[in-house]
Amino acid sequence: VLSSLLAGLSLRVSMAKRRQAYIVEYQRARYALDSALKYALATVPRQRFELSERQYLPDFSDLFVMNQQQYEAFVLAWAETATDEQIEQVLKPEALGSQTAQLSSAEMLSQLSSIFGLGADDANVPGTLPAGRSQTQSPAYAPDADDGDDYFLDPDDIEVPGPYGPPWPHVIEPIELTIGTARVVMTIEDENAKMPLAWTITNQQAVNKEAEVVLSMFGDWMAMSPDQVELLKIQLEQIHEHKAFQLNPSAILLPRQQQRRQTAAERAAQRAEDRRAGRLTTSRTAIRRRQAQQETASPTHRPAVAHAADFAKLFHSSLLDRDLLARPVDHTAMQNVSPLKYLSLWGSQRVNINTAPRHVLEAALAFGGGDPVDLAERIIRHRQHTPFQSIDDLKQAFYSDRMEIERAGDYLTTRSNLFLIRVVAQSGNARASAAAAVIKEGTDVEKLVVLYDR
């Protein structure tokens, strides 16, 4: 009995110590999180998120819809015409080892060939598999333009750049910091490159049909079952009862606050305060003064950007099952991909035609009628060498589709202004994370909402 009591007491003491240690580590992680978030919000106004040059690099537009074999064929087709410098731009740092910076282009490619067991005298036929490799393990083949030697590239060693340089949807490379004992990672994502979920709860009857088509298209892309799509529709209908999406929303008018009638005790306290301050104490004068103060201080409207904050709070509430949207899909070669990655839950209205992947671009163009698949293909080919500067520029480039572009114009943009800042802090076994949505117009940044993960 004594042994059992001692074992139970020791276990409880150990659990209490672990809880106390976790609380301490969580406080450290939360402190680092808050500090990093303040740093990010303070530095975002000085950041310039510009599109990178991607004309001769592999394009990110179709990565999601590719399986492993299609991805390997995609890398193979690009690598056959790529130069050494272009291949160096897309290789992951870990694929080159720790001495990548000290190696020349020829030395780097030679080292890469030795990693895959290839000698300089190996005779390989372009497009064929080397001996001992299966179809699922086949690397991409590319000829060396300098000396004629052949080398192979593993598709898993290539990191396809996004429109800003880092992988889509990031606009900058992840920033890693150490604050105290916590390791902090900050990322910034382009929310205008994702499909706004608010489209599906529009208040315009004329576009409800297109909105249903867009939601069905998205469910097909994400391989969602009919039951999952139906459940998502039910949840969106519940959100629609609270707030409906509208194009180009105006400021939110608020009713003027009514003056509450004061009690006798409050009136006595107000008169005493007036006497101490040397103010006029007549009741009629005091009432007129308080009424004038209330009329001038009462807010009458909220800015238009408050609509986005409202939708962000609704989509992150219990009304929407985000766990359903966060489940990874298995029909693509991309790892850890879920529908949530391609959805904007932060109240965005427009899709950036320069930064959106193909399926998101097709969803936006579906509101214009016509053939969104063909138009999206031509937009992707055009933006690879010349990004669009305005919607008028898009109309001039594809004049035959001018009417379709005009109808979808309210859903399109060429410059992103809604960005999502994600911060994750880890200290010991404790983890804290937060996300902040901001509107950025040049150096002017307005914080919409900050949500902490529980």
Side-chain angles (χ1 to χ4, degrees):
V1 172
L2 291 176
S3 299
S4 300
L5 292 174
L6 182 60
L9 180 60
S10 301
L11 180 60
R12 292 189 177 187
V13 171
S14 177
M15 293 175 62
K17 289 182 178 180
R18 289 184 180 181
R19 285 195 296 268
Q20 293 175 356
Y22 179 81
I23 292 174
V24 172
E25 294 295 342
Y26 179 79
Q27 292 297 331
R28 292 173 178 174
R30 185 59 185 268
Y31 170 78
L33 173 69
D34 294 337
S35 300
L37 189 59
K38 291 179 181 178
Y39 167 77
L41 293 174
T43 56
V44 162
R46 299 194 298 268
Q47 297 287 339
R48 297 183 62 184
F49 305 137
E50 298 180 349
L51 300 177
S52 63
E53 176 62 41
R54 298 181 293 107
Q55 183 174 357
Y56 301 105
L57 299 180
D59 192 73
F60 71 97
S61 303
D62 301 313
L63 294 181
F64 171 75
V65 297
M66 294 181 182
N67 56 33
Q68 186 64 34
Q69 292 183 350
Q70 291 172 335
Y71 177 69
E72 291 179 1
F74 165 74
V75 173
L76 169 64
W78 170 79
E80 286 179 344
T81 58
T83 64
D84 299 349
E85 291 76 12
Q86 293 166 2
I87 294 177
E88 291 178 23
Q89 293 181 42
V90 299
L91 284 177
K92 296 179 181 179
E94 57 267 22
L96 301 177
S98 58
Q99 298 180 349
T100 303
Q102 288 75 27
L103 297 178
S104 64
S105 175
E107 292 172 339
M108 181 188 67
L109 295 175
S110 176
Q111 184 184 40
L112 187 61
S113 299
S114 64
I115 292 176
F116 293 106
L118 302 176
D121 299 331
D122 289 344
N124 297 288
V125 180
T128 59
L129 299 180
R133 290 188 180 270
S134 64
Q135 180 67 31
T136 58
Q137 297 174 339
S138 61
Y141 172 88
D144 188 350
D146 294 336
D147 54 15
D149 292 338
D150 296 337
Y151 61 90
F152 287 90
L153 295 177
D154 189 339
D156 293 335
D157 290 337
I158 290 180
E159 188 173 71
V160 178
Y164 300 93
W168 185 93
H170 295 162
V171 298
I172 61 172
E173 294 289 349
I175 301 175
E176 298 185 4
L177 301 173
T178 300
I179 303 178
T181 61
R183 177 178 176 271
V184 181
V185 178
M186 294 186 299
T187 58
I188 302 179
E189 300 179 7
D190 181 3
E191 284 298 301
N192 291 114
K194 306 176 184 179
M195 193 189 88
L197 191 59
W199 283 352
T200 59
I201 53 175
T202 178
N203 65 340
Q204 296 185 4
Q205 297 296 329
V207 296
N208 279 343
K209 184 177 180 180
E210 287 81 359
E212 293 180 2
V213 171
V214 166
L215 184 59
S216 299
M217 291 169 58
F218 185 81
D220 293 338
W221 290 323
M222 300 300 166
M224 299 174 65
S225 66
D227 293 338
Q228 292 175 332
V229 176
E230 188 62 27
L231 177 60
L232 180 59
K233 289 181 179 179
I234 295 174
Q235 294 174 356
L236 291 174
E237 289 176 359
Q238 295 175 350
I239 296 177
H240 183 269
E241 295 176 358
H242 290 79
K243 190 177 183 67
F245 173 77
Q246 60 180 352
L247 295 172
N248 304 315
S250 57
I252 304 173
L253 298 178
L254 299 176
R256 190 177 299 276
Q257 294 182 355
Q258 300 272 340
Q259 184 177 8
R260 184 175 61 87
R261 190 167 186 173
Q262 289 184 323
T263 63
E266 290 174 338
R267 289 196 296 269
Q270 184 67 41
R271 288 194 296 270
E273 182 180 353
D274 290 342
R275 294 191 191 97
R276 287 195 298 269
R279 300 170 182 159
L280 296 176
T281 58
T282 59
S283 58
R284 184 175 301 177
T285 303
I287 291 175
R288 285 200 299 264
R289 173 169 51 80
R290 285 192 289 271
Q291 288 178 345
Q293 290 176 351
Q294 185 175 5
E295 290 178 356
T296 57
S298 297
T300 59
H301 70 278
R302 295 173 64 200
V305 294
H307 291 281
D310 292 340
F311 283 116
K313 295 176 181 178
L314 287 172
F315 287 136
H316 289 83
S317 68
S318 59
L319 295 174
L320 182 66
D321 184 7
R322 296 187 304 280
D323 292 338
L324 174 64
L325 299 174
R327 296 175 184 174
V329 295
D330 56 2
H331 66 280
T332 174
M334 302 296 100
Q335 298 180 353
N336 300 323
V337 171
S338 66
L340 199 58
K341 180 178 180 180
Y342 294 89
L343 280 176
S344 177
L345 306 182
W346 301 88
S348 61
Q349 174 175 320
R350 294 177 174 86
V351 163
N352 189 338
I353 60 176
N354 290 317
T355 62
R358 181 185 300 271
H359 60 289
V360 175
L361 187 58
E362 290 178 3
L365 295 174
F367 287 96
D371 187 359
V373 176
D374 177 68
L375 184 54
E377 171 63 25
R378 285 180 285 154
I379 290 175
I380 290 172
R381 290 200 303 264
H382 187 282
R383 73 185 185 184
Q384 287 178 345
H385 57 84
T386 306
F388 296 95
Q389 299 300 318
S390 65
I391 299 301
D392 290 335
D393 188 14
L394 175 65
K395 295 177 184 178
Q396 294 176 3
F398 307 111
Y399 191 82
S400 60
D401 302 287
R402 187 180 184 90
M403 296 302 298
E404 290 78 3
I405 297 173
E406 185 74 27
R407 286 194 292 267
D410 289 329
Y411 300 90
L412 304 175
T413 184
T414 57
R415 297 183 182 275
S416 298
N417 66 345
L418 179 58
F419 299 94
L420 181 64
I421 304 173
R422 295 186 186 274
V423 183
V424 179
Q426 182 84 29
S427 178
N429 294 327
R431 178 181 181 273
S433 62
V438 297
I439 295 288
K440 186 177 188 301
E441 299 288 353
T443 58
D444 296 331
V445 175
E446 183 172 358
K447 182 175 64 176
L448 294 181
V449 63
V450 179
L451 299 178
Y452 291 86
D453 291 341
R454 292 187 177 90

